[in-house]
DNA sequence: CTGAAAGCGCTTACAG
DNA sequence: CTGAAAGCGCTTACAG
């Protein structure tokens, strides 16, 4: 009746199939599969062989249902094509994989407050044990605590957050950028900001302002940007009319790169006439002409820290402890390249 | 005894809790939750209220265990920080979300054949109904059919693949790029290739060669690259020694952008002395100086098509049909910008 | 339109 | 070191 080719009809072997083939009980198979307790070496071997023969892998849903853990981390963010989101995701993927967790990525479509809140509300439907949120700024705090007992780590700044956070040292990065320019001899540093609804952008702007004030310089008017290359070009039109414009600190690299391109087309030399600094250190930054001086954010480390903290929280609550609230600040590094230099001898007209 | 604040101890309401509160059976709650069959309007309303009051959301693991479907798609790829991977992922995320599926992203660490195979082998452990693989080239075909009955769609070229594929029209894109340069009056077109182990890179190289031959031009020696900006700089050293080097077709944008930067530093004008074309159309391409002429790949569409095909397969096999094998080719568009122009009057020395 | 019963494939106590 | 029983929270037939 039973032939070698007879495999379970459902296409996938279950723990019972393995148990039968190995001549043991299902629990023993489970013990071998999870490595949870001691099994006699010879038994273990027999079970392993049966597993291989049947191509067995445990049903994740059954395991999750019984154990209450999915072995998955959720990653919620808006616009997973920007440098920050992408590199953070890489860090999360790497760290999670190392610890045997899979990653469920959820993209918030439009990035409006409504979209964020609705995404958070839909989360409990998804199978995940813990959650990393990139830029939670726009989320209502009450909503983010919605997934009951679910550990949450927030990437970026979220004032008054009841959750652990991992963020770049924005203030230090900005200070390094501005003081680098001042150190080169520039009389002042102009600033192209990020969008108004971004907390990070506001922090960079105010750090720029404070650094100038500390050096006794009255900050010039901010040129508004929105992270995009297009806003870098728009910024150029406004900046070229200023007589003292020899140095510009841009809120991110995209804007800085587009600004440099526009300045060059307007007949300005970078850094001969104008020095430009960005923020992020995207991959291409070092290969442009001129190579971009910028502040390196270690997004990958942010992702890795997030996973580590999340799993600590998970373990703490498994032990019945109250998970610790942590705030990690990841250091930055100023990458000095070719887009900055001393100001021109004679003020450009 | 029972107070308003009494919630189930486990922190999350179950279907039974909702049923009790609404005064119906668990199945009726299930019917309302899944919308699977007709329920009297007044009953539905009562159930909905109970759900809201308890903050109920169905346990994904239980649902998956019972229904055999996880509501999740796996996305397997190497290096989720490159343009292609990232934008394809965006397309997958958008399309999956629209259909109520979540996306499990798995990053293949080193991109070696071994890593690919081991990632594929580990997949059945993960909770997913179907799988999208970006660049399966390095995977052993037998392994990729390992997850029994799991629909698979492959992005990119995989000769002899037993699975459905979605890919960019590489040949047409290359032809457009090369003929654009020839049309401008260039006598020949040099080529910086992608890495040897990439099928896509090989296709672009051979399409470049064939296009030149079709126009009666003997193809110059290929300059080897590997997608990176660094290889664009290396290519510059080799290219500047060639007398007839007035036009270069690069296998991707990163290489092209770095090459342009290096050419400029070597005193060449782009496009005055040399015209350069890339492939991909990354976000920054239009904002560089000069703006990059390149072939636009619609990665987002690739991701969306992949999801659509996957779900068709899933539905077909649910109906007991043999899922159809599809091959979708996504059209390209040549973006003519500032990095290309007619050759210099006098051959540059 | 609604309900009582069975069972998806595991793991978790509890015995031995 | 190993096993028999129970049950995680759902959905799927099967009744009515």
């Amino acid at each position: 009746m039973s032939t070698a080719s007879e495999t379970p009809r459902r296409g996938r072997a279950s723990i019972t199939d393995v148990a039968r083939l190995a001549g043991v009980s299902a629990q023993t198979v489970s013990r071998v599969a999870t490595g949870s307790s001691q099994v006699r070496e010879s038994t273990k071997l027999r079970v392993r062989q049966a597993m291989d023969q049947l191509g067995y892998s445990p049903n994740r849903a059954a395991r999750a249902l019984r154990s209450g853990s999915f072995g998955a981390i959720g990653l919620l963010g808006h616009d997973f094509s920007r440098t920050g989101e992408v590199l953070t995701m890489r860090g999360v993927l790497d760290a999670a994989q190392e610890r045997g967790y899979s990653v469920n990525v959820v993209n918030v479509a439009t990035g409006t407050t409504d979209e964020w809140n609705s995404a958070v509300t839909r989360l409990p439907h998804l199978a995940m044990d813990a959650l990393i949120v990139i830029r939670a700024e726009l989320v209502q705090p009450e909503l983010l605590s919605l997934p009951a007992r679910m550990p949450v780590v927030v990437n970026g700044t979220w004032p008054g957050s009841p959750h652990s956070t991992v963020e770049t040292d924005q203030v230090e990065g900005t200070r390094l950028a501005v003081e680098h320019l001042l150190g080169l001899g520039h009389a002042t540093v102009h600033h192209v900001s990020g969008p108004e609804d971004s907390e990070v952008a506001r922090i960079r702007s105010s750090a720029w302002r404070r650094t100038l004030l500390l050096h006794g310089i009255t900050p010039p008017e901010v040129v508004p940007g929105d992270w995009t290359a297009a806003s870098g070009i728009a910024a150029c039109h406004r900046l070229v009319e200023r007589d003292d414009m020899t140095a510009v600190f841009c809120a991110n690299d995209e804007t800085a790169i587009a600004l440099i391109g526009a300045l060059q087309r307007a007949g300005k030399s970078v850094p001969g006439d104008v020095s430009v600094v960005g923020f992020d250190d995207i991959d291409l930054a070092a290969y442009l002409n001129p190579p971009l001086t910028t502040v390196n954010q270690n997004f990958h480390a942010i992702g890795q820290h997030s996973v580590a903290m999340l799993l600590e929280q998970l373990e703490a609550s498994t032990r019945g402890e109250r998970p610790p609230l942590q705030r990690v600040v990841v250091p930055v590094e100023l990458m000095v390249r070719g887009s900055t230099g001393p100001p021109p001898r004679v003020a450009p007209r």
Side-chain angles (χ1 to χ4, degrees), chain A:
Chain A
M1 268 303 168
S2 173
T3 70
S5 73
E6 187 189 42
T7 42
R9 280 188 297 120
R10 290 193 41 103
R12 210 170 139 171
S14 77
I15 197 170
T16 319
D17 301 320
V18 177
R20 194 167 352 178
L21 184 61
V24 297
S25 71
Q27 302 81 289
T28 299
V29 177
S30 169
R31 281 190 268 257
V32 173
T34 58
S36 60
S37 63
Q38 294 298 327
V39 177
R40 202 197 305 163
E41 201 54 44
S42 62
T43 313
K44 200 186 288 185
L45 212 72
R46 226 168 49 238
V47 171
R48 287 257 168 71
Q49 276 178 350
M51 285 175 166
D52 286 351
Q53 189 175 329
L54 297 174
Y56 172 76
S57 66
N59 179 316
R60 203 60 176 210
R63 179 176 275 185
L65 177 58
R66 185 64 241 219
S67 69
S69 145
F70 290 96
I73 292 172
L75 178 61
L76 185 67
H78 166 55
D79 200 346
F80 277 98
S81 42
R82 288 186 295 208
T83 309
E85 276 73 0
V86 165
L87 295 182
T88 301
M89 180 185 76
R90 279 298 305 276
V92 169
L93 290 176
D94 292 349
Q97 225 144 293
E98 216 167 83
R99 294 146 201 256
Y101 279 77
S102 67
V103 178
N104 228 303
V105 180
V106 178
N107 186 56
V108 178
T110 58
T112 60
T113 302
D114 280 356
E115 273 282 352
W116 271 103
N117 289 331
S118 108
V120 169
T121 313
R122 268 181 283 113
L123 278 179
H125 295 270
L126 301 177
M128 51 184 70
D129 304 318
L131 180 66
I132 295 170
V133 185
I134 303 182
R135 302 168 182 245
E137 303 162 3
L138 297 179
V139 182
Q140 292 174 30
E142 319 85 74
L143 286 179
L144 196 41
S145 55
L146 199 150
R149 316 257 165 122
M150 190 185 278
V152 175
V153 167
V154 171
N155 287 348
T157 306
W158 197 33
S161 163
H163 300 287
S164 292
T165 56
V166 186
E167 60 190 312
T168 294
D169 195 340
Q170 309 287 350
V171 172
E172 174 68 3
T174 303
R175 193 186 64 77
L176 287 173
V178 174
E179 293 193 338
H180 164 66
L181 290 167
L182 296 178
L184 286 167
H186 294 272
T188 189
V189 176
H190 294 258
H191 175 52
V192 181
S193 72
E196 275 183 26
D197 64 2
S198 160
E199 181 68 20
V200 168
R202 282 195 297 266
I203 294 176
R204 288 182 198 163
S205 293
S206 75
W208 158 79
R209 187 172 292 114
R210 233 174 313 137
T211 306
L212 287 183
L213 288 172
L214 272 176
H215 287 264
I217 300 165
T218 307
E221 198 186 341
V222 172
V223 179
D226 60 4
W227 304 136
T228 66
S231 76
I233 290 186
C236 180
H237 299 315
R238 307 203 25 184
L239 286 167
V240 288
E241 291 173 354
R242 301 185 181 178
D243 286 340
D244 60 349
M245 198 271 292
T246 67
V248 183
F249 166 59
C250 292
N252 75 340
D253 284 353
E254 292 253 316
T255 312
I257 290 166
L259 171 63
I260 290 174
L263 284 169
Q264 288 171 333
R265 284 189 291 276
K268 300 278 185 184
S269 152
V270 178
D273 298 323
V274 184
S275 289
V276 177
V277 180
F279 208 112
D280 281 353
D281 195 19
I282 67 174
D283 273 353
L284 271 176
Y287 295 96
L288 300 173
N289 211 10
L292 184 67
T293 296
T294 186
V295 180
N296 179 277
Q297 287 202 70
N298 197 341
F299 289 111
H300 196 266
I302 291 181
Q304 291 182 303
H305 275 295
S306 304
V307 172
M309 288 162 62
L310 221 42
L311 297 190
E312 275 176 45
Q313 289 188 28
L314 219 42
E315 284 161 21
S317 54
T318 301
R319 289 193 304 268
E321 298 167 18
R322 195 190 166 72
L325 189 72
Q326 296 182 59
R327 303 225 178 279
V328 171
V329 175
V330 177
V332 294
E333 188 182 356
L334 181 69
M335 312 302 289
V336 178
R337 301 205 182 96
S339 67
T340 50
R345 289 290 179 77
V346 185
R349 62 121 294 127

